[in-house]
Each structure stands twice: as structure tokens, then as C-alpha cells.
Amino acid sequence: MEKIPVYVVTGFLSSGKTAFLNHLLNLPDWRRVNLQVFQFETGEQDFSCVHTHCRTMSFSKRMLEQQFNEVAAQVTASLQSQTPDEIWVEWNGTAPLSQLRALLQQPELQAKCRLQKILFLASAKTIETLLGRTGTILPEQLAEADLAVLNDASSTEQYRRIRRLLRGVNPWLPVCRITSYDAFYREWFDREERPMDLTFAFAAAGVILYLAARPVFLKYQLPFDAVINAYLGILMQAVPFLLIGVLLSAAVQVFLPPAVVERWLSKSTGVSMLTALAAGFCFPVCDCASVPFFKGLLQKGVPLPAAVTFLLAAPIINPAAILSTYFAFGGNPQMVISRICCGILIALLVGLSFALRTPQEQVLKQNAAMLLTCGAYTNDAQGSRTLQKVRLLLEHASRDFFSVGKFLLIGAFLSAVFQSAGTGALTLLGSQSGLVGSILLMMLTAFCLSLCSSSDAVVARSFSNGLPGSAVLAFLVFGPMLDVKNLLMLSSVCSKRFLVRLSLTVAVLCFCLTFLLGTLKGGIL
């Protein structure tokens, strides 16, 4: 049986939600549609529908908070008595959307309903003031909205200014003004969504573009096939680890009790950083997986120094990276130990720098910080079922995977182009650049190649014949900590100031440490 689509209209007080529903649902297009409207607030205007197939039911915010099970029972009974074609929800703008999701995830409702769209309504007269004074409620709703509708915009300049403000919270949020409800309906509701068809359409377009462009590139002897092969190779390496990362991040968010975080990671800076190191050694995550896991740790309340330590150390000290380095260098323990020690030392120093000077601004972007709040239940009874938590885990993992994955695709393509240029010229250039030049060149190469930390040792071994050992070590240490694809993925969830500070600190420490190892007593490596 096809599930009933649920459309949610939310926004703060006086944003015009009831007026919006009165205009939209009274259009002739809904005269033959069985509608069920649930109102979770009472505004200045009453909802009234002229169509005979429309039923309404109202609940107060107090009832939702204090009699949640009773509200769920009444909603379920209403849907059982008569199954509607569509459900519209006027949501109280001061209530978190997690309460609505908890309601829809009740077993009886989850079997019948699916959340189709979340519409965020805002008044141009008040939204700029409210957004900075209402805590996390409005940013959460913006982060989860599929569309923002702006009322009362007096000019195009004001509309554009507020659109920039809203997209500062959710960069991919469509923002529109209603000039005609008929036109609004045609644009946003009068078409059937077919995501699978779109997926096949994009795939077909990619194949056609490949077949059309390939002869042109081959004619001019451009390494088109090499770029495609390198691109697919990077994705085949990175996607499984990204999937592991988002699953671990979601598991931490859903299953890890706050008491555990407080017990192990909130005692002191030193203990939390050492615990993060131990976790980095135990979890088989490469640099692709560490980014979503890093975000999940911060959202769970893990101190920033500990989360940064895990982010930087885990790709280097996990068992897969250690074994790959050992076998790539023919069982020589010197490079393995040097890589592990440098990775741990740099991770601890960077984490300590954030402990000594805590960032004044928020590290996670507002929209990134709100991505997982939809499942943060405030009532233990609502989130205690194991099956329900598994569903939340999959929901969070899929959201993170597609949110971060698009940046992985871009970074992988840039890396494939760089890889296809060849590494022989780099070895020759590095051998003629001295110790400082070769270290800087290998750090830049590691940043651009964006190799998986479990397989970069093989490439590093190919550089070792013509370059100093400390330059090869810089390649092995800097790449897993910071490269093109990681930087793009981090940019989707972290503030620019944090990224700049993290990048500069890691680069300076990596250069200084490997340079010291290369010059101390004539060069340890």
C-alpha cells in the first residue's frame, strides 16, 4: 500500500502559516483530494477549507509536550477512520521538528505515512531579527526544510538579502516569493517526484557525454581514459570507507549514551585526547571516513581537542594503514614507526593548540550542526525501541553520505586529473630541490593526489628511490590529514576560520617535524 504523503508547514509566530494554508488548500486543484489537516498551534487566523473532502484536527503545544501518546493515538484513530490522500501539518514554530518526527515514527503512523516536504514560512518583517534571538529552533527548521517561502518582502533587494541570510543556514535551500498561489502550486506540487528516473537520467547523460567527448580527447592526445580510470579507482577506494564513516557517526549519534561521552571524553583535555587516540587505533577508518565521524563526535558533545585528535590521527594509526605501510616498504619498521610517531605527535599538538586557544566562533556550520537533531529524542520512551533506533541510524547515515559525498566526487575528480599528469616529473623535480623543496613538494603532492591512507604507502614507495626519506614521510603524514577531498568534505560541515587554522597548523607542524628528522644528525630518514 502506498504511504500517505505528509506536507509540513512550519515557521515562527506570525509568519503566515494559516493564511498560507487557507490560500493554497482552497485552490480548485484540491477539490477532489481527500485532505487531513493537523494544526499544532492556533494563530490569529482560523483555517477554513471550502472543499467537502477536508478534515481538520487541532492540538495545543502543551498537549503535544505533556500528552504525546494521547496525541499519537488521536492522530492514528483519525487516519484509521478515513484514509486521506494527503496530510498537511501546521507545525508550531517554537517546537522542535524532532517532536514531529517522533510522532510520525510511531509504528502505526510510520506504516501509513511518509514525510514528503517541509515548507518553512518566514515574514520579511521579522525573520532577520528572530533568526538571531530564537536559539536553535529556527536554524533546525531551516536546515531540514525543502523550501522556504518568504512573505511581505517589500523589494527585490530585501528578498535577496533575506535569501542570502537563509542560505547561510542551509546553503541548498530553495527560497521563493509567492506572487500567485496558482503558479506556486504548479511549480512545487503539480509534478510527481521520480528520484530513480532522475538518477538514471543523470547516469545516461554521463555515459553520452563520455562517448561524445572521448574521440575529441583522444584526437588531441589528452589522457582522457587515464583520468576516468584514476577517478573510478579513487571512488572505489574512498566510497566504502566513507560509508563506514557515516555509519559509525550515525551509530555514535543514535546509540552512544551521553553518560558514556561524559565519562570518557569530558574528564580532562589530556584524558579525552588519549582516548581519541585509542579510538583512532581501534577503528578501521581512513581519511574519507574520519570526516563524518569527526562531525558526529562534535554533535555528541565530545570536546573539540579530542575530536581534532581523532580526525588527524585515525587515518594514520589505524591497523589497515600500519600494515599497508609495513608491506609497501618491504617490512622496514623505520618508516612505519616514523609515520605512526609523527602522526600521533602532530595530532596531539594540533589538538592541544585548540585546547589552549578555543575558537570563539562555532566550529560546525549551523546547518551541519542541525542535520542530526531530528533524531535527538527528549523522551526516552519515544526512542527506546531498538528497531526505531536502527531506522534513525540509517536515516542519519544516508543524510550524511549524500551531504558529504558530493564533495568527495568533486575532490576525487580533481585528484584524478592531477594523478594522470604522472609522478615521474615530480620525483625529478623533488630530487633537484633540496630538502626544503622536496618536503614542500611532497606535501603538495599528497594534498593533490588525495590517496586513501590505506593505500598511499605504495605510491610513497615509488618516490623513495629519488627523494629524501623525510620528504616521503611528509607525503605519508600530511596526505591522510589534509588533502583535496578531505578539505572539500570538511568545508561542507565546518566554518572557514576553523578550516584555515586547522590547515595552517597541520602544514606547519608537518613541515617542521619532517625537516627536523631530515637534518638531525645528518638525517634520521
Side-chain angles (χ1 to χ4, degrees):
M1 183 181 68
E2 186 176 357
K3 293 186 178 182
I4 307 168
V6 179
Y7 296 91
V8 180
V9 178
T10 186
F12 215 66
L13 302 175
S14 302
S15 59
K17 297 186 292 294
T18 307
F20 173 84
L21 290 175
N22 277 333
H23 282 93
L24 188 65
L25 298 186
N26 280 304
L27 290 174
D29 303 85
W30 268 281
R31 65 179 179 271
R32 295 183 180 178
V33 179
N34 290 322
L35 294 175
Q36 174 69 65
V37 179
F38 294 109
Q39 292 182 283
F40 289 91
E41 74 170 11
T42 54
E44 299 176 355
Q45 185 176 354
D46 294 329
F47 173 74
S48 176
C49 187
V50 298
H51 304 310
T52 57
H53 301 291
C54 180
R55 297 185 302 161
T56 62
M57 183 175 289
S58 300
F59 304 95
S60 65
K61 182 184 177 185
R62 177 178 296 181
M63 185 175 182
L64 179 67
E65 294 174 343
Q66 299 180 0
Q67 298 175 282
F68 180 86
N69 293 331
E70 176 64 23
V71 171
Q74 291 189 32
V75 171
T76 302
S78 175
L79 298 182
Q80 288 176 344
S81 64
Q82 182 178 345
T83 303
D85 298 318
E86 293 181 6
I87 297 174
W88 284 78
V89 176
E90 182 181 352
W91 187 249
N92 192 308
T94 61
L97 284 172
S98 58
Q99 290 183 332
L100 175 61
R101 288 188 178 271
L103 179 65
L104 295 177
Q105 286 169 351
Q106 297 299 303
E108 298 84 358
L109 295 178
Q110 193 170 45
K112 288 178 172 289
C113 307
R114 58 181 170 86
L115 187 58
Q116 185 73 15
K117 275 190 176 71
I118 298 178
L119 284 72
F120 179 87
L121 265 67
S123 171
K125 298 177 181 178
T126 59
I127 185 62
E128 293 178 279
T129 303
L130 289 174
L131 196 56
R133 297 183 179 180
T134 53
T136 62
I137 296 294
L138 286 186
E140 176 202 8
Q141 295 182 0
L142 278 170
E144 296 200 55
D146 299 296
L147 172 67
V149 181
L150 189 62
N151 293 320
D152 307 324
S154 58
S155 64
T156 302
E157 181 182 352
Q158 184 188 34
Y159 164 70
R160 290 176 177 174
R161 184 178 70 250
I162 296 176
R163 183 177 62 181
R164 287 194 299 269
L165 176 68
L166 299 182
R167 286 182 174 173
V169 179
N170 185 346
W172 298 278
L173 179 66
V175 182
C176 72
R177 287 188 296 179
I178 296 180
T179 55
S180 164
Y181 277 91
D182 286 306
F184 178 80
Y185 172 82
R186 297 287 179 267
E187 181 177 0
W188 293 101
F189 295 96
D190 195 26
R191 60 173 181 264
E192 185 178 358
E193 296 186 351
R194 299 179 181 271
M196 190 60 68
D197 291 352
L198 289 176
T199 302
F200 282 119
F202 279 117
V207 172
I208 293 172
L209 182 62
Y210 168 78
L211 295 176
R214 188 171 183 271
V216 178
F217 280 88
L218 292 178
K219 179 180 179 180
Y220 293 98
Q221 297 183 343
L222 297 175
F224 186 73
D225 286 341
V227 172
I228 296 299
N229 292 335
Y231 180 62
L232 294 177
I234 293 173
L235 289 183
M236 290 179 66
Q237 285 184 331
V239 169
F241 286 101
L242 177 61
L243 185 59
I244 292 173
V246 297
L247 287 173
L248 288 175
S249 174
V252 167
Q253 193 71 15
V254 174
F255 290 104
L256 188 64
V260 175
V261 177
E262 185 176 354
R263 185 186 311 129
W264 291 102
L265 292 170
S266 301
K267 291 182 178 180
S268 66
T269 301
V271 172
S272 63
M273 290 170 64
L274 292 176
T275 305
L277 277 179
F281 178 79
C282 296
F283 287 121
V285 295
C286 76
D287 48 331
C288 307
S290 61
V291 173
F293 198 81
F294 166 73
K295 187 183 78 169
L297 290 176
L298 289 181
Q299 289 174 324
K300 201 64 180 180
V302 173
L304 179 61
V308 169
T309 301
F310 177 88
L311 172 71
L312 300 178
I316 295 176
I317 66 174
N318 72 80
I322 294 174
L323 289 175
S324 67
T325 307
Y326 179 80
F327 288 112
F329 285 86
N332 180 10
Q334 186 178 18
M335 185 61 74
V336 179
I337 295 173
S338 299
R339 186 185 194 188
I340 295 173
C341 292
C342 287
I344 291 176
L345 184 58
I346 292 174
L348 288 175
L349 289 175
V350 176
L352 187 61
S353 72
F354 282 99
L356 295 176
R357 187 177 178 183
T358 305
Q360 299 298 318
E361 75 283 353
Q362 186 176 355
V363 172
L364 289 180
K365 291 180 178 178
Q366 277 188 305
N367 62 308
M370 297 300 166
L371 282 177
L372 296 182
T373 55
C374 59
Y377 290 119
T378 57
N379 187 324
D380 291 339
Q382 297 168 12
S384 59
R385 298 183 181 90
T386 302
L387 183 59
Q388 194 174 54
K389 288 188 175 182
V390 171
R391 291 195 184 104
L392 282 174
L393 182 145
L394 296 177
E395 179 183 339
H396 295 337
S398 63
R399 184 192 292 268
D400 268 3
F401 183 82
F402 289 107
S403 175
V404 178
K406 54 181 172 287
F407 294 94
L408 173 64
L409 295 177
I410 298 172
F413 180 76
L414 295 176
S415 302
V417 173
F418 186 84
Q419 285 187 33
S420 301
T423 57
L426 292 173
T427 304
L428 178 62
L429 180 61
S431 62
Q432 300 174 351
S433 302
L435 183 60
V436 172
S438 61
I439 291 176
L440 292 175
L441 181 62
M442 284 297 97
M443 289 174 61
L444 178 62
T445 303
F447 178 80
C448 295
L449 285 180
S450 300
L451 298 171
C452 181
S453 63
S454 60
S455 60
D456 60 351
V458 177
V459 178
R461 181 69 179 86
S462 66
F463 291 129
S464 61
N465 293 328
L467 294 173
S470 55
V472 177
L473 179 62
F475 178 90
L476 288 171
V477 173
F478 187 71
M481 291 185 174
L482 199 67
D483 59 30
V484 171
K485 65 178 187 299
N486 285 357
L487 192 63
L488 286 172
M489 288 191 289
L490 280 171
S491 68
S492 69
V493 297
C494 298
S495 65
K496 292 181 180 179
R497 287 189 177 183
F498 171 77
L499 284 181
V500 171
R501 178 178 169 183
L502 178 71
S503 303
L504 290 177
T505 307
V506 170
V508 170
L509 287 175
C510 182
F511 173 80
C512 292
L513 189 57
T514 52
F515 179 76
L516 180 64
L517 291 175
T519 56
L520 191 63
K521 294 183 179 181
I524 293 178
L525 290 173

